[in-house]
Amino acid sequence: MNAVEQSKLIKELLSHHNLQNNLSVPQLVEKILSRGEGTLSATGAIRATTGKYTGRSPKDKFIVRDETTQDVIDWGLVNQEIDEASFDNLYEKVIAYLKKKDELYHFKGYAGADKNYRLPIQVFNEYAWHNLFSRQLFIEPTEEEVESHQSEFTIVSAPTYKADPKVDGTNSETFILVSFKKRTILIGGTEYAGEIKKSIFSVMNFLLPQRDILSMHCSANVGQEGDVALFFGLSGTGKTTLSADPYRRLIGDDEHGWSTNGVFNIEGGCYAKCINLSKEKEPQIYEAIRFGSVLENVILDEGSRNPDYDDTSLTENTRAAYTLENIDNIVTPSVAGHPNTIIFLTADASGTLPPISKLTKEQAMYHFLSGYTSKLAGTERGVTEPQATFSACFGSPFLPLEPSTYAEMLGEKIDQYNTNVFLVNTGWTGGSYGTGKRMKLSYTRAMVHSALEGELNSAETTKDDIFGLEIPMHVPGVPDEVLIPKKTWNDNEAYNKEAQALAMKFHDNFKQFTHAGDEIKNAGPLYRG
């Protein structure tokens, strides 16, 4: 399929006999309810279910290997390849399938809040509720921008079309195919809306570095003095909780770019986990779920239609999609200056990493590449006890390029903008999981506050003899003994054994980063067995 043929197929979708173009939120809600795609909850949000796929399908995601990608993609288990012919054949079949649908939903918008770097996108959806999801998560154009909008990337989503792996070259009935040459994402066989969001993030992780912009899987906020902070962390580390601060305005909760202008949000909305959500613990998220929002796989009370956020009978990965405008304390538009502070969050179940430590540039690059945390029980099927896990750049499933590409850009920007970087352990203290206890949130908040206020930039530190990390001796609001993990353990020998075991896990994981220089490799734990 050449560019002319593809353009012809896109025109066929645009000329669909019943194409619904950029419908308003009320119009989409009406469509969803009349078509039986979802239920109106007591909050005003639409509740939809996603069938057997209640999360992403990483084994079903492919990138088309062609002259555009063959020499630049970090091919492997994360970035699986599919040939052009397979993409073209499946693309034609999906287009033909959607043309027969009684309605097709079309959204034009943007990825990237900085107008200098934004990506104009268009989304074709089989489901009205997926179109509402797209409208909540991506950046909505003004009326004038709709008229002049020229899409540079297209998503075609057909959740009820199922692939035949023997014929189509996929691994299952589900497929998420990305063609950078044809600037198209093809999604089918799954109703999980998160594939739409994350596929565009993967695209931005390919395109932005080509423009010398670091793409990042992190949340970001800005203080009253205009100081910017980034929060990196995998699931369960407290990224959402710690970045939601009544005294700091939210830039975004998940995806950002860092250009020569500063930080900008890639999205126009949030896709928050709802498990055990409460007004007391996370008021911003709780109050944001209202008319126009989408609740995914959340159980509703049959009579009242009130959401039961504690009910995980469908999945523990319950989600809410809502526009940033549903949050009061935000930056509009979602752009800010260069980060003053970066916080790497980890939930270390071994109880041996310091609760806070200040990183050198090399250590920052090392821990960025490592992306360490403990996978907590409940975050994945079969996980009943915390397990050490590493995800490069805190987002390896979404990185088309070699991870060192992003780490090198981070190091350059830390140098250029004199950014301070801290590693914060929100995990266990006084022992490992089962013996110790989770770090008090009040202590973590005090440490993060001190880091953001610059109180730790020149603080007296002591070096950890196993991990080589510089630990502040004093943090306001935190007992001194809590800062030194070894002092919180009753058994020094048990501590040393646990800490040394974790250090070796870091070293074993880092062997994969063959592109990293010696300065970075040597910035890891001092203990080497």
Side-chain angles (χ1 to χ4, degrees):
M1 184 198 309
N2 57 37
V4 174
E5 291 170 328
Q6 189 201 19
S7 178
K8 182 181 177 182
L9 289 174
I10 289 293
K11 286 180 179 178
E12 289 184 19
L13 286 185
L14 289 170
S15 61
H16 188 280
H17 64 280
N18 198 3
L19 184 68
Q20 306 294 314
N21 272 306
N22 272 57
L23 295 186
S24 67
V25 167
Q27 288 173 317
L28 282 169
V29 169
E30 286 179 347
K31 288 286 187 184
I32 293 163
L33 296 176
S34 66
R35 293 167 61 88
E37 291 182 7
T39 304
L40 191 66
S41 74
T43 68
I46 285 290
R47 192 290 301 262
T49 56
T50 64
K52 68 177 181 177
Y53 292 98
T54 58
R56 290 183 299 102
S57 301
K59 293 180 180 179
D60 297 308
K61 178 185 170 185
F62 297 85
I63 295 175
V64 178
R65 187 171 195 135
D66 53 38
E67 64 273 18
T68 305
T69 58
Q70 60 184 2
D71 296 327
V72 291
I73 297 295
D74 184 30
W75 301 108
L77 292 176
V78 171
N79 298 307
Q80 302 176 103
E81 65 177 90
I82 195 167
D83 59 78
E84 285 191 84
S86 295
F87 175 88
D88 291 348
N89 290 335
L90 197 49
Y91 184 78
E92 290 178 15
K93 287 190 282 190
V94 169
I95 298 295
Y97 181 78
L98 290 177
K99 281 167 57 181
K100 296 176 182 177
K101 293 294 174 180
D102 60 337
E103 285 187 331
L104 189 63
Y105 300 90
H106 184 222
F107 170 76
K108 290 181 178 180
Y110 299 96
D114 188 329
K115 292 185 178 181
N116 295 297
Y117 306 114
R118 68 185 183 184
L119 177 71
I121 63 171
Q122 63 181 341
V123 188
F124 292 96
N125 295 110
E126 177 185 354
Y127 284 163
W129 83 264
H130 278 180
N131 202 250
L132 178 60
F133 174 92
S134 301
R135 189 183 183 92
Q136 298 298 301
L137 265 297
F138 298 125
I139 297 171
E140 187 178 345
T142 63
E143 290 184 12
E144 294 77 17
E145 287 173 335
V146 169
E147 296 301 318
S148 60
H149 189 282
Q150 296 292 323
S151 299
E152 294 180 16
F153 233 98
T154 298
I155 301 174
V156 179
S157 173
T160 64
Y161 185 89
K162 301 184 188 307
D164 181 347
K166 293 180 180 178
V167 175
D168 297 315
T170 58
N171 286 335
S172 74
E173 64 185 13
T174 299
F175 53 94
I176 304 97
L177 311 182
V178 181
S179 171
F180 286 103
K181 178 180 176 181
K182 298 183 171 72
R183 298 239 159 181
T184 299
I185 299 163
L186 195 59
I187 302 173
T190 174
E191 298 181 34
Y192 181 65
E195 298 287 11
I196 298 171
K197 162 194 159 73
K198 286 303 186 185
S199 62
I200 284 293
F201 183 44
S202 296
V203 164
M204 295 297 274
N205 283 330
F206 179 82
L207 298 177
L208 290 179
Q210 296 177 29
R211 304 179 69 178
D212 196 31
I213 300 168
L214 174 60
S215 51
M216 305 174 293
H217 190 208
C218 67
S219 59
N221 63 25
V222 59
Q224 295 174 350
E225 303 298 322
D227 55 297
V228 177
L230 304 180
F231 296 80
F232 291 83
L234 302 176
S235 178
T237 59
K239 182 178 65 170
T240 301
T241 301
L242 292 167
S243 63
D245 187 324
Y247 301 104
R248 300 178 67 86
R249 290 181 295 153
L250 185 70
I251 304 168
D253 80 327
D254 198 44
E255 303 172 4
H256 292 84
W258 185 354
S259 73
T260 53
N261 296 335
V263 171
F264 62 89
N265 194 351
I266 289 174
E267 300 181 295
C270 300
Y271 189 42
K273 286 187 175 181
C274 290
I275 183 170
N276 303 133
L277 177 66
S278 69
K279 187 174 182 178
E280 293 71 32
K281 291 181 180 178
E282 294 174 292
Q284 281 190 333
I285 297 174
Y286 190 90
E287 297 291 351
I289 301 171
R290 48 185 190 259
F291 184 76
S293 304
V294 177
L295 288 171
E296 203 173 47
N297 295 316
V298 172
I299 300 298
L300 302 182
D301 178 79
E302 191 171 330
S304 68
R305 295 292 191 269
N306 283 314
D308 183 351
Y309 297 120
D310 297 327
D311 191 328
T312 59
S313 54
L314 286 180
T315 178
E316 294 191 350
N317 189 34
T318 52
R319 295 273 183 167
Y322 50 87
T323 176
L324 277 169
E325 294 173 358
N326 285 12
I327 299 175
D328 294 329
N329 200 24
I330 61 169
V331 178
T332 305
S334 303
V335 296
H338 297 289
N340 303 77
T341 310
I342 293 174
I343 305 288
F344 293 158
L345 297 166
T346 181
D348 171 37
S350 79
T352 61
L353 279 182
I356 188 165
S357 48
K358 193 174 188 303
L359 306 182
T360 65
K361 181 191 77 172
E362 291 75 22
Q363 286 175 324
M365 294 170 70
Y366 181 94
H367 284 277
F368 184 61
L369 280 171
S370 298
Y372 165 72
T373 194
S374 297
K375 192 177 292 181
L376 302 180
T379 57
E380 204 171 278
R381 270 176 54 187
V383 179
T384 56
E385 289 189 2
Q387 299 173 359
T389 187
F390 297 86
S391 182
C393 310
F394 298 95
S396 63
F398 319 114
L399 304 183
L401 308 178
E402 212 282 326
S404 292
T405 304
Y406 307 95
E408 288 167 8
M409 292 183 73
L410 178 70
E412 291 168 2
K413 291 186 180 295
I414 288 171
D415 259 351
Q416 187 174 358
Y417 301 107
N418 197 28
T419 305
N420 294 294
V421 187
F422 295 87
L423 179 66
V424 173
N425 175 20
T426 64
W428 274 253
T429 181
S432 57
Y433 174 83
T435 303
K437 57 186 177 181
R438 194 79 188 257
M439 182 67 62
K440 285 185 179 180
L441 180 58
S442 60
Y443 291 167
T444 301
R445 286 193 187 280
M447 287 183 272
V448 169
H449 174 79
S450 292
L452 298 185
E453 291 297 313
E455 296 170 359
L456 304 182
N457 292 346
S458 55
E460 181 185 2
T461 62
T462 182
K463 180 174 284 191
D464 184 281
D465 58 1
I466 292 179
F467 297 105
L469 298 168
E470 294 291 342
I471 306 170
M473 298 289 286
H474 310 285
V475 175
V478 183
D480 289 349
E481 63 271 14
V482 170
L483 299 171
I484 312 296
K486 197 168 191 175
K487 290 184 178 180
T488 68
W489 283 58
N490 294 324
D491 186 336
N492 281 350
E493 187 177 339
Y495 167 84
N496 286 332
K497 183 178 179 181
E498 196 76 36
Q500 290 168 1
L502 178 60
M504 293 311 298
K505 288 176 184 176
F506 270 100
H507 291 310
D508 289 342
N509 172 72
F510 210 81
K511 290 175 182 177
Q512 65 183 294
F513 301 117
T514 54
H515 292 80
D518 288 341
E519 284 188 339
I520 312 304
K521 293 176 183 176
N522 294 332
L526 298 177
Y527 179 82
R528 294 182 174 275

